[in-house]
Amino acid sequence: MAAPVAVLAAEESSSETAQILSESTPGECKRPQFGTRFLTDPRQVFQHNAWDNVEWSEEQEASAKRKVSENNQPLPQEKQEEYDSRANEFWNGFYTIHENRFFKDRHWLFTEFPELAPQCSLDNESHLEVSDSDHSQQERLQREHRSEVPSLSHTDGDIPGSLATYRILEVGCGVGNTVFPILKTNNDSGLFVYCCDFSSTAVELVKTNPEYDPGRCFAFVHDLSDVEADYPVPEGTLDVIVLIFVLSALHPDKMQASISRLARLLKPGGVMLLRDYGRYDMAQLRFKKGRCLSENFYVRGDGTRVYFFTQDEVHEMFTEAGLEKMQNLVDRRLQVNRGKQLTMYRVWIQCKYRKAPAQPLGSDGQVRGKDPPSSTIA
């Protein structure tokens, strides 16, 4: 049997933003359905709905590069400016049409990002390959979070979550498919979750959800690309910032400043978690001519935009923001439509970057582990 060919449709639709999700029950710390399923015999490709860590052949990667190159003629500048200026309108339109029926809750998050529920002990490893140093960093990070609980100053009493001991911010929360699983799974009484979205329609859907609890969550409208806009928390007070398929919606010229602004909100030892579209993902290959805005940046039929990253691009942005790498991986997954005998190659980037922990001071007022300054002899 010949190797299956990736499906290339006429144009990417909004439904391409939906992800393969686990079937874990809300509140459970459970291994997702997918994660250790590897395709060793191509003849068995239609035996399951998805395969993990699928290696691409040189021929397949070359074909993907050719496909992208064929359709990379950018739209006129005036059209690009229109999509940029009307971005809020397009995203509000998206959520007005789909409301909360489009996405499923992302319960896979707690396997890939245990920082979202550090008290929840998982029995299995992440399905992505992680080095021993990554695991030791993660364990050390969680110990630091438990032992160094930050508190907002007394002047911040009106800030939502001012009494919290563990603070998470999700940027680009949509209708709450990450927020609500966190609130269900993480039963830490000191937890407070902030969530924001560019779309006022999406934020309103979060607030009107029966599971929205103002005592544990605060949803607000925010433009990630507006680095002058204030967040509802002071700098240096967040334990975790979550970016799930949101950075790709920004204009590439605005990404670095946006990440740098977010990094300032992290406390020492805090982490930024990202999962987003990778270069040559099926969604990128499906775009036809007339949808390219700039290199690897496209507009969908509904006016929303999407960028496709490489590991190096993400690493450069996060390190430029002063963060250090804990994890930077490519997740290549083969999704299968067994009914139609179709295969779909997905490529996602998954990252964890951390703000350096604060160095403790010794009794002499010097940073521990560092030699005192040498005296000058006249």
Side-chain angles (χ1 to χ4, degrees), residues 202-312:
V203 171
E204 187 61 26
L205 287 167
V206 171
K207 289 184 173 182
T208 55
N209 190 306
E211 297 177 0
Y212 181 74
D213 180 1
R216 303 184 70 212
C217 183
F218 178 68
F220 59 101
V221 177
H222 189 87
D223 180 359
L224 173 60
S225 67
D226 184 358
V227 295
E228 300 300 324
D230 291 329
Y231 285 89
V233 292
E235 294 183 1
T237 59
L238 293 177
D239 294 277
V240 181
I241 296 176
V242 186
L243 299 163
I244 305 293
F245 297 98
V246 61
L247 189 62
S248 55
L250 268 61
H251 191 287
D253 292 346
K254 299 179 180 180
M255 291 179 183
Q256 180 63 70
S258 300
I259 292 297
S260 296
R261 175 71 178 92
L262 286 175
R264 297 203 301 270
L265 298 177
L266 287 172
K267 71 164 194 169
V271 293
M272 196 176 298
L273 311 176
L274 175 140
R275 189 169 174 88
D276 219 319
Y277 295 102
R279 189 70 47 84
Y280 309 130
D281 176 63
M282 178 193 73
Q284 182 177 17
L285 302 184
R286 294 180 69 164
F287 281 110
K288 295 296 185 180
K289 293 180 180 179
R291 289 295 172 188
C292 182
L293 297 171
S294 61
E295 192 171 3
N296 301 303
F297 189 45
Y298 304 83
V299 60
R300 302 183 180 97
D302 60 6
T304 61
R305 299 173 298 174
V306 59
Y307 185 85
F308 297 86
F309 294 98
T310 65
Q311 288 175 279
D312 290 343

Side-chain angles (χ1 to χ4, degrees), residues 130-143:
V130 182
S131 68
D132 292 339
S133 61
D134 288 333
H135 287 303
S136 61
Q137 283 181 323
Q138 179 175 293
E139 292 171 359
R140 185 171 65 251
L141 172 65
Q142 293 179 4
R143 288 196 301 270

Side-chain angles (χ1 to χ4, degrees), residues 30 39-40 80 131 144 167 176 185 187 199 208 220 226 230 318 324 343 366 372:
K30 180 181 177 183
L39 180 63
T40 57
Q80 297 194 40
S131 68
E144 290 164 356
R167 303 183 188 92
T185 303
N187 57 12
S199 167
T208 55
F220 59 101
D226 184 358
D230 291 329
F318 279 57
E324 55 189 35
T343 58
Q366 300 295 327

Side-chain angles (χ1 to χ4, degrees), residues 155 197 237 339:
T155 59
D197 200 278
T237 59

Side-chain angles (χ1 to χ4, degrees), residues 84-270:
D84 192 61
S85 63
R86 296 178 61 193
N88 181 267
E89 174 187 340
F90 292 129
W91 279 111
N92 276 332
F94 173 87
Y95 287 111
T96 297
I97 294 171
H98 297 287
E99 294 184 337
N100 60 357
R101 300 183 299 270
F102 187 69
F103 297 103
K104 294 182 180 179
D105 287 350
R106 296 161 172 161
H107 297 292
W108 53 265
L109 286 168
F110 306 105
T111 297
E112 303 303 342
F113 299 135
E115 295 84 356
L116 298 176
Q119 84 289 357
C120 179
S121 178
L122 294 172
D123 295 329
N124 296 287
E125 301 290 349
S126 164
H127 76 269
L128 297 177
E129 182 180 349
V130 182
S131 68
D132 292 339
S133 61
D134 288 333
H135 287 303
S136 61
Q137 283 181 323
Q138 179 175 293
E139 292 171 359
R140 185 171 65 251
L141 172 65
Q142 293 179 4
R143 288 196 301 270
E144 290 164 356
H145 280 160
R146 289 192 292 267
S147 62
E148 298 179 7
V149 175
S151 60
L152 303 183
S153 69
H154 67 279
T155 59
D156 299 322
D158 293 334
I159 294 175
S162 59
L163 301 179
T165 57
Y166 198 80
R167 303 183 188 92
I168 297 173
L169 166 66
E170 187 196 8
V171 182
C173 64
V175 298
N177 301 105
T178 295
V179 170
F180 293 125
I182 292 175
L183 293 173
K184 292 176 187 176
T185 303
N186 190 335
N187 57 12
D188 181 358
S189 60
L191 171 71
F192 197 89
V193 180
Y194 306 88
C195 59
C196 63
D197 200 278
F198 188 37
S199 167
S200 58
T201 302
V203 171
E204 187 61 26
L205 287 167
V206 171
K207 289 184 173 182
T208 55
N209 190 306
E211 297 177 0
Y212 181 74
D213 180 1
R216 303 184 70 212
C217 183
F218 178 68
F220 59 101
V221 177
H222 189 87
D223 180 359
L224 173 60
S225 67
D226 184 358
V227 295
E228 300 300 324
D230 291 329
Y231 285 89
V233 292
E235 294 183 1
T237 59
L238 293 177
D239 294 277
V240 181
I241 296 176
V242 186
L243 299 163
I244 305 293
F245 297 98
V246 61
L247 189 62
S248 55
L250 268 61
H251 191 287
D253 292 346
K254 299 179 180 180
M255 291 179 183
Q256 180 63 70
S258 300
I259 292 297
S260 296
R261 175 71 178 92
L262 286 175
R264 297 203 301 270
L265 298 177
L266 287 172
K267 71 164 194 169

Side-chain angles (χ1 to χ4, degrees), residues 52-71:
D52 296 294
N53 298 338
V54 177
E55 295 293 331
W56 284 32
S57 67
E58 292 183 4
E59 180 182 357
Q60 185 177 2
E61 186 151 354
S63 176
K65 290 179 179 179
R66 286 195 300 272
K67 182 69 179 178
V68 170
S69 178
E70 290 170 2
N71 302 324

